[in-house]
């Protein structure tokens, strides 16, 4: 049995300022409904894939919570099997936390989104409405509209005339993009967070232009009845040496204002040697393509704007050291300045990309977790096609919906035993997942009197073999609560209602945070 902590004990440990990780073992869709502010979502269904990066120090104190349905105990056992040595369960889960009078939140990436609302309130970040922006466009004013989301989000839906400049790139690429000081600059995202942080980044950096955020982002643009573009491809140009110098001066001034430490390689090496006593994250905040082309060995990829937007996805251990890396220091300094204001001990590695490089993406360390049973038998894609079986797909529902093995049932791994009761009783059972990793872990856990195999290489191998796929959800063995569905991904008839509800929720976060005594935000300059 895992150790337990009460809600009061957990709150005291969090407020003490030492290292602690709080993780929620439920699926993201369920996590979305009610959870602790400081918790990261670590679904039991994908624990082996997420835990090594989210919780890099296996002796760090970890508290697992749920809604009291037993997932936390199962996740605690799995973490212990993976070598984590200080794992506890929140007794009574989120219900007990709320019953103790402590606040709970809905939504995902709440620390980051609440932080942006506080920034807008405290800094009086200027904004423009969708209607005013459209009118300025109609008048032919000199405008620059920067979409501060990831390129993929921008490409999916954007404001006509906008170009993709993800958050951490704004200060770095600004002079190249806006040579004229009388250009009116608008920063937008899908909703509010990255619009606010992006606009305030440029304002903090002292650019000479008037800069505003687009109030409520592309959602507001859509709700105002304006056309939303799909398939846009506008990107920022390469940065010249003179523009890099100007950007560096601006970023250095922001970093000094907010007390961002600059460390050398000797200090990083020392912290790496100490990483079994003090959790360390080393994160490359450049564009993903730059990271894949060559990065500091051992560093993780998290583009700076996304890191600020989703701190809980990368930084699971409160009180950890965070070292940010890039090539010029601009993107790392700007990102670190925000992390420090959010309460993280963030520093920048001076000359971050000198020396040895690694290419590509690092391998996920799921191998630290042993199988819960014998190695399952596998079946190759061609064999499965020639010998049909009952196929169960344990991939994320969004991936399953896009493409899956024809006839495959969708199921949630954490509820697989219950899901099996809905499947046809005859025939071999074949589990698959995106690349087969989760299917392999799940097959080894099963204790059923029925042949169970794993599709070798998962659905990716099936597609690589050129075999046909289906789209849509198909037959369900589990309800798909594994992802939080965005307003834009809702059915068209419901989309606008969900957009309005989302924006109202986001705006109200500033009021919720104002009542939360455990919030670690510190917006005041260090000077």
């Amino acid at each position: 049995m895992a150790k337990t902590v009460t809600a009061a004990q957990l709150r005291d440990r969090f407020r003490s300022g030492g290292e602690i990780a709080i993780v929620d073992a439920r699926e993201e869709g369920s996590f979305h409904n009610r959870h602790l502010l400081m918790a990261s979502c670590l679904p039991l269904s994908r624990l082996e894939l997420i835990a090594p990066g989210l919780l890099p120090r296996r002796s760090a104190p970890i508290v697992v919570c749920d809604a009291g349905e037993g997932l936390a105990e199962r996740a605690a056992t799995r973490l212990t099997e993976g070598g984590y040595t200080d794992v506890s369960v929140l007794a009574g889960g989120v219900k007990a936390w709320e019953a103790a009078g402590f606040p709970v939140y809905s939504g995902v990436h709440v620390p980051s989104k609440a932080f942006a609302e506080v920034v807008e309130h405290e800094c009086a970040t200027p904004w423009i409405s969708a209607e005013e922006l459209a009118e300025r466009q109609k008048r032919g004013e000199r405008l620059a509209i920067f979409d501060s989301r990831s390129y993929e989000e921008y490409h999916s839906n954007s404001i006509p005339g906008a170009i993709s400049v993800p958050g951490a790139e704004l200060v770095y690429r600004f002079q190249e993009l806006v040579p004229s000081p009388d250009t009116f600059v608008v920063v937008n995202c899908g909703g509010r967070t990255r619009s606010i942080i992006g606009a305030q980044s440029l304002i903090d950096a002292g650019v000479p232009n008037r800069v505003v955020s687009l109030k409520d982002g592309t959602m507001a643009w859509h709700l105002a009845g304006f056309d939303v573009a799909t398939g846009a491809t506008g990107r920022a140009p390469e940065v010249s040496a003179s523009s890099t110098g100007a950007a560096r001066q601006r970023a250095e001034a922001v970093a000094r204002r907010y007390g961002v430490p600059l460390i050398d390689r000797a200090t990083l090496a020392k912290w790496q040697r100490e990483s079994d006593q003090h959790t360390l994250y080393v994160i490359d905040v450049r564009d993903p393509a730059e990271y894949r082309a060559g990065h500091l060995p051992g560093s993780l990829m998290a583009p700076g704007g996304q890191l600020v937007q989703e701190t809980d996805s990368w930084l699971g251990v409160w009180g950890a050291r965070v070292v940010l890396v890039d090539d010029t220091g601009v993107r790392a300094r700007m990102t670190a300045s925000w992390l420090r204001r959010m309460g993280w001990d963030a520093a920048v590695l001076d000359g971050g990309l000198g020396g040895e490089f690694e290419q590509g993406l690092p391998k996920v360390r799921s191998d630290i977790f042993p199988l819960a049973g014998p190695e399952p038998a596998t079946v190759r894609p061609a064999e499965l096609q020639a010998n049909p079986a009952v196929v169960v797909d344990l991939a994320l529902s969004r991936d399953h919906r896009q493409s899956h093995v024809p006839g495959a049932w969708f199921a949630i791994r954490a509820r697989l035993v219950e899901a099996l009761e809905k499947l046809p009783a005859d025939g071999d059972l074949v589990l698959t997942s995106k690349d087969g990793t989760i299917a392999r872990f799940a097959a080894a856990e099963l204790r059923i009197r029925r042949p169970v195999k794993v599709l070798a290489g998962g659905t990716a191998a099936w597609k690589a073999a050129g075999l046909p796929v289906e789209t849509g959800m198909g037959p369900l063995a589990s309800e798909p609560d594994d992802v939080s569905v965005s307003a834009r991904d809702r059915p068209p008839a419901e989309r606008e209602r969900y957009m309005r509800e989302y924006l109202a929720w986001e705006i109200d976060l500033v009021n919720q945070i104002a009542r939360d005594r455990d919030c670690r935000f510190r917006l005041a300059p260090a000077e």
Side-chain angles (χ1 to χ4, degrees):
M1 294 292 292
K3 298 181 294 184
T4 60
V5 298
T6 66
Q9 289 170 333
L10 175 56
R11 188 168 188 248
D12 288 344
R13 288 175 64 179
F14 179 77
R15 298 182 76 180
S16 71
E19 283 198 22
I20 189 167
I22 305 171
V23 296
D24 195 309
R26 295 172 294 166
E27 305 298 320
E28 185 184 76
S30 298
F31 173 85
H32 173 281
N33 295 330
R34 297 185 82 69
H35 62 268
L36 280 61
L37 173 67
M38 62 286 286
S40 289
C41 186
L42 179 63
L44 175 62
S45 294
R46 295 183 290 133
L47 183 147
E48 294 90 349
L49 298 182
I50 300 173
L54 187 68
L55 309 170
R57 182 167 75 92
R58 282 186 272 175
S59 55
I62 300 169
V63 177
V64 190
C65 55
D66 61 6
E69 68 275 63
L71 290 172
E73 287 81 1
R74 291 170 61 189
T77 298
R78 197 70 183 119
L79 286 168
T80 301
E81 291 169 348
Y84 291 89
T85 58
D86 188 357
V87 184
S88 304
V89 169
L90 174 61
V94 177
K95 294 178 182 177
W97 179 267
E98 189 172 18
F102 305 144
V104 295
Y105 293 77
S106 62
V108 294
H109 312 310
V110 178
S112 296
K113 294 179 180 182
F115 175 71
E117 297 301 321
V118 173
V119 168
E120 185 187 58
H121 182 267
E122 295 296 321
C123 300
T125 307
W127 52 266
I128 188 174
S129 69
E131 291 82 358
E132 184 182 346
L133 175 57
E135 184 60 32
R136 285 175 177 267
Q137 285 185 315
K138 185 178 179 180
R139 292 198 300 262
E141 293 187 15
R142 183 175 289 181
L143 297 171
I145 306 172
F146 299 145
D147 192 315
S148 60
R149 299 172 295 171
S150 68
Y151 177 79
E152 291 74 19
E153 292 171 277
Y154 159 81
H155 181 72
S156 171
N157 62 89
S158 61
I159 294 168
I163 68 169
S164 175
V165 192
E169 308 292 323
L170 285 162
V171 172
Y172 178 50
R173 301 185 185 276
F174 186 81
Q175 187 155 306
E176 212 70 50
L177 289 162
V178 191
S180 172
D182 60 354
T183 299
F184 186 77
V185 178
V186 181
V187 182
N188 81 274
C189 67
R192 296 177 53 80
T193 303
R194 286 168 285 184
S195 302
I196 295 167
I197 297 299
Q200 194 61 48
S201 292
L202 292 172
I203 294 167
D204 287 351
V207 302
N209 302 69
R210 184 182 173 194
V211 179
V212 299
S213 74
L214 176 61
K215 186 177 187 291
D216 300 342
T218 57
M219 289 190 196
W221 188 265
H222 173 97
L223 291 169
F226 303 128
D227 290 337
V228 176
T230 58
T233 58
R235 289 182 184 262
E238 292 299 315
V239 183
S240 66
S242 61
S243 295
T244 297
R248 187 179 176 94
Q249 287 183 349
R250 288 171 173 155
E252 285 175 345
V254 174
R256 285 194 299 271
R257 191 179 316 145
Y258 292 101
V260 176
L262 193 65
I263 68 167
D264 57 21
R265 286 183 171 271
T267 300
L268 175 60
K270 177 176 179 291
W271 288 1
Q272 288 172 326
R273 292 193 298 270
E274 297 170 350
S275 62
D276 57 344
Q277 289 93 37
H278 195 159
T279 300
L280 173 67
Y281 297 93
V282 181
I283 300 178
D284 190 317
V285 296
R286 297 174 300 153
D287 180 85
E290 294 175 89
Y291 176 89
R292 289 190 292 268
H295 56 268
L296 189 72
S299 63
L300 301 178
M301 180 185 76
Q306 291 301 104
L307 177 58
V308 174
Q309 162 80 1
E310 303 178 12
T311 49
D312 55 322
S313 293
W314 280 282
L315 307 177
V317 182
W318 292 93
R321 289 167 169 161
V322 182
V323 177
L324 303 185
V325 181
D326 73 351
D327 50 350
T328 66
V330 176
R331 290 171 281 189
R333 281 175 170 83
M334 292 305 301
T335 305
S337 76
W338 286 119
L339 291 183
R340 291 191 71 82
R341 281 175 271 183
M342 294 179 75
W344 292 96
D345 181 14
V348 170
L349 178 62
D350 192 21
L353 291 183
E356 185 182 354
F357 281 152
E358 286 182 344
Q359 293 183 327
L361 296 175
K363 183 179 182 296
V364 176
R365 289 296 316 279
S366 60
D367 57 351
I368 68 174
F369 291 93
L371 292 178
E375 183 72 46
T378 60
V379 57
R380 295 192 302 274
E383 293 178 276
L384 178 59
Q385 187 188 40
N387 301 283
V390 179
V391 180
V392 178
D393 189 359
L394 303 177
L396 286 173
S397 58
R398 67 165 68 96
D399 295 330
H400 178 85
R401 182 179 288 108
Q402 290 175 357
S403 63
H404 57 263
V405 175
W409 290 70
F410 171 80
I412 299 290
R413 175 200 172 186
R415 304 195 296 272
L416 182 56
V417 172
E418 299 88 336
L420 294 178
E421 298 175 2
K422 300 181 181 180
L423 303 180
D426 298 327
D428 287 354
L429 180 64
V430 175
L431 304 185
T432 186
S433 57
K434 186 173 183 179
D435 63 2
T437 302
I438 289 300
R440 176 173 170 265
F441 282 121
E445 293 166 349
L446 289 179
R447 301 289 185 270
I448 58 174
R449 294 183 179 179
R450 181 175 184 176
V452 180
K453 296 181 180 179
V454 172
L455 177 59
T459 306
W462 177 275
K463 292 190 287 187
L467 298 174
V469 296
E470 286 183 346
T471 59
M473 287 306 295
L476 299 178
S478 302
E479 287 300 315
D481 66 340
D482 57 313
V483 295
S484 174
V485 182
S486 70
R488 188 165 293 281
D489 289 334
R490 299 284 181 176
E494 302 176 352
R495 193 169 295 157
E496 293 188 358
R497 173 172 66 86
Y498 277 102
M499 285 182 176
R500 291 189 177 93
E501 290 178 357
Y502 173 83
L503 293 170
W505 165 82
E506 201 165 20
I507 291 168
D508 189 54
L509 284 173
V510 70
N511 299 316
Q512 287 186 266
I513 282 292
R515 299 187 295 267
D516 195 328
R517 290 181 293 168
D518 296 325
C519 176
R520 295 190 177 189
F521 301 161
R522 50 190 188 200
L523 268 61
E527 296 178 347

